[in-house]
Amino acid sequence: MKGYLRNDGRKGIRNLVAVTYLVECAHHVAQRIVDSFPDDDIHLIGFGGCAPNAYAEKVMQQLCTHPNVGGVVIVSLGCENFQREKLLQRVTESGRMGELIVIQENGGTRSSIEKGVVAVRGMLSLLNQVPVVDFLWSDLMVGTVCGGSDATSGFTANPAVGKTFDKLIAKGATCIFEEPGELIGCEHLMRQRGATTEIGEQLFQCVRKADAYYKKMGHDSFSEGNAVGGLSTIEDKSLGSYSKSGSHPINGLLYPGDQPPQSGLYFMDVVPDGEALWGFPNVNDNAEIVEMSACGCHLILYTSGRGSVAGSAISPVIKVCGNPHTCQALSEDIDINASRIISEGASLEDISDETIAYIHHIINGNQTKSEALGHREFHLGYKYFDACQG
């Protein structure tokens, strides 16, 4: 396998340019810059808010220095609170190409688009100078999320990913799972999985925090689609979600944008700290994918029963589906057909081996279904974490 060597020693499986807007007022300019390169690996990311938010700034800094990113064009209106100069500094200090466009100082929309196009064109001409080196399994970081879960998820796609995690970790890779709000009822299992007693208690309290947060809001993460798909309760859904984690001890609790200190299995907390003031912890699955990308995940395993067509900017998405009807109805978008466990008697071992072979295929430069279809969804909103302050 081959990867792109970055100055910090990490290796990417993609070598793309990110164009990021720092407030919704700059979104149009950034979008037009990206649209000027329909056949190139130019990804649009951004933060729509204007008020300051340490969480969003941390996530954006980590995304712009992600191992899959080789250059960044930052588009600022000029009067938003986002610390644009600090972001540019982080990008350039990482050894990546960086360009800052401040619309209020650059003549306006047309001039800013033209400057951005020139900047991207220059970065594209230099990306081939990034060293290409051997990419080892120990270099790999993989995240997993589930979306559109149904009654098949808990015994097909999710445990197949759990088996995949076990095998990847045995090869030296780093794996991350998430969503404490979808582990309510499994907090005692999480406590037992902690690599140390202290980590186990942190995991237990993390799920308890999510439970309290959702009760304050008056609902949890159990959706109408989950019920129609045959799930009965949040605990029913949680057990299926939990099976994505495999069987290894959990080495630590991460917050969005934290980089794991060593290989192994980690859990990411996505529920804000403090009072329930920030709305639904993640308004869609792509918000969770963004947070995993910010931790450094090269790619994401997205499990589903009801199905999804979403992909992602920065980190390629591999969709693993466990429902035979969905795999047939959404065949254009499903990468791994875990429903063969139901329809053909395939084993979890079979599906996990197939998934690892497919990951190898994607690391070598081949596109996932969502990449080939042009899916580059992205969402970053407001949150508060104690760990993001200071």
Side-chain angles (χ1 to χ4, degrees):
M1 299 184 292
K2 297 296 181 180
Y4 301 94
L5 181 63
R6 306 302 175 190
N7 282 19
D8 61 6
R10 294 188 296 169
K11 303 170 187 176
I13 65 171
R14 297 292 184 266
N15 196 24
L16 59 89
V17 173
V19 178
T20 178
Y21 57 92
L22 305 185
V23 65
E24 186 62 25
C25 309
H27 189 163
H28 174 76
V29 169
Q31 180 71 67
R32 291 293 298 274
I33 293 168
V34 173
D35 290 345
S36 300
F37 300 90
D39 299 322
D40 294 296
D41 219 4
I42 315 300
H43 291 214
L44 179 69
I45 63 177
F47 177 58
C50 186
N53 186 248
Y55 153 83
E57 296 215 12
K58 177 183 178 180
V59 168
M60 187 60 73
Q61 288 171 10
Q62 297 294 73
L63 291 171
C64 289
T65 55
H66 189 282
N68 288 349
V69 174
V72 182
V73 176
I74 302 167
V75 185
S76 162
L77 176 62
C79 55
E80 70 276 359
N81 283 278
F82 206 108
Q83 300 178 69
R84 56 181 178 270
E85 296 289 349
K86 182 178 180 181
L87 178 59
L88 178 64
Q89 181 180 1
R90 286 289 300 273
V91 170
T92 56
E93 286 180 348
S94 75
R96 290 163 177 79
M97 297 170 283
E99 180 81 21
L100 173 61
I101 299 169
V102 182
I103 298 170
Q104 291 173 345
E105 301 173 1
N106 199 63
T109 298
R110 289 190 181 89
S111 299
S112 298
I113 293 171
E114 291 170 2
K115 184 175 181 180
V117 168
V118 170
V120 171
R121 191 173 291 127
M123 291 178 186
L124 286 173
S125 69
L126 295 174
L127 282 179
N128 59 7
Q129 296 181 14
V130 177
V132 177
V133 297
D134 289 335
F135 190 96
L136 309 176
W137 288 111
S138 58
D139 296 316
L140 180 66
M141 190 184 304
V142 179
T144 186
V145 303
C146 51
S149 299
D150 69 8
T152 70
S153 299
F155 66 94
T156 56
N158 287 356
V161 166
K163 285 283 187 183
T164 302
F165 267 23
D166 284 348
K167 294 175 180 179
L168 289 174
I169 291 169
K171 293 175 179 287
T174 303
C175 296
I176 305 175
F177 70 114
E178 48 68 57
E179 187 50 282
E182 294 184 354
L183 289 172
I184 294 170
C186 296
E187 54 265 41
H188 300 284
L189 298 174
M190 293 288 284
R191 175 188 268 163
Q192 295 167 10
R193 290 278 298 284
T196 66
T197 301
E198 180 183 6
I199 293 171
E201 186 60 26
Q202 290 173 347
L203 295 168
F204 179 86
Q205 294 301 333
C206 177
V207 178
R208 283 292 179 92
K209 179 185 73 169
D211 190 23
Y213 192 100
Y214 280 117
K215 285 176 178 175
K216 184 76 171 180
M217 293 178 63
H219 61 82
D220 54 32
S221 65
F222 191 86
S223 71
E224 180 181 350
N226 298 148
V228 172
L231 293 173
S232 60
T233 62
I234 183 61
E235 290 85 0
D236 191 11
K237 181 179 180 181
S238 293
L239 287 168
S241 178
Y242 176 77
S243 69
K244 299 198 309 298
S245 65
S247 62
H248 279 270
I250 301 171
N251 287 351
L253 177 66
L254 303 174
Y255 296 97
D258 287 350
Q259 292 182 20
Q262 60 187 27
S263 61
L265 180 66
Y266 292 85
F267 180 67
M268 186 180 71
D269 187 3
V270 304
V271 176
D273 291 331
E275 293 295 320
L277 303 173
W278 300 89
F280 200 77
N282 276 321
V283 298
N284 54 53
D285 295 324
N286 280 94
E288 297 170 357
I289 292 174
V290 166
E291 291 173 328
M292 290 202 149
S293 294
C295 290
C297 289
H298 293 92
L299 52 83
I300 307 296
L301 299 176
Y302 186 137
T303 66
S304 186
R306 302 298 301 275
S308 173
V309 300
S312 174
I314 309 296
S315 302
V317 169
I318 296 172
K319 288 195 281 296
V320 184
C321 183
N323 185 307
H325 173 75
T326 305
C327 286
Q328 182 176 14
L330 292 180
S331 60
E332 297 174 358
D333 294 86
I334 303 303
D335 297 274
I336 303 295
N337 180 2
S339 76
R340 294 194 299 109
I341 293 171
I342 298 172
S343 61
E344 301 175 14
S347 68
L348 295 176
E349 294 285 344
D350 294 334
I351 302 302
S352 63
D353 286 342
E354 179 184 340
T355 303
I356 289 174
Y358 192 77
I359 290 171
H360 188 283
H361 180 71
I362 298 307
I363 291 172
N364 278 334
N366 298 286
Q367 291 186 320
T368 66
K369 292 282 189 75
S370 62
E371 285 183 291
L373 291 166
H375 283 285
R376 293 174 182 172
E377 287 83 353
F378 184 91
H379 182 88
L380 176 60
Y382 282 98
K383 283 188 184 181
Y384 176 91
F385 288 99
D386 294 332
C388 291
Q389 308 308 304

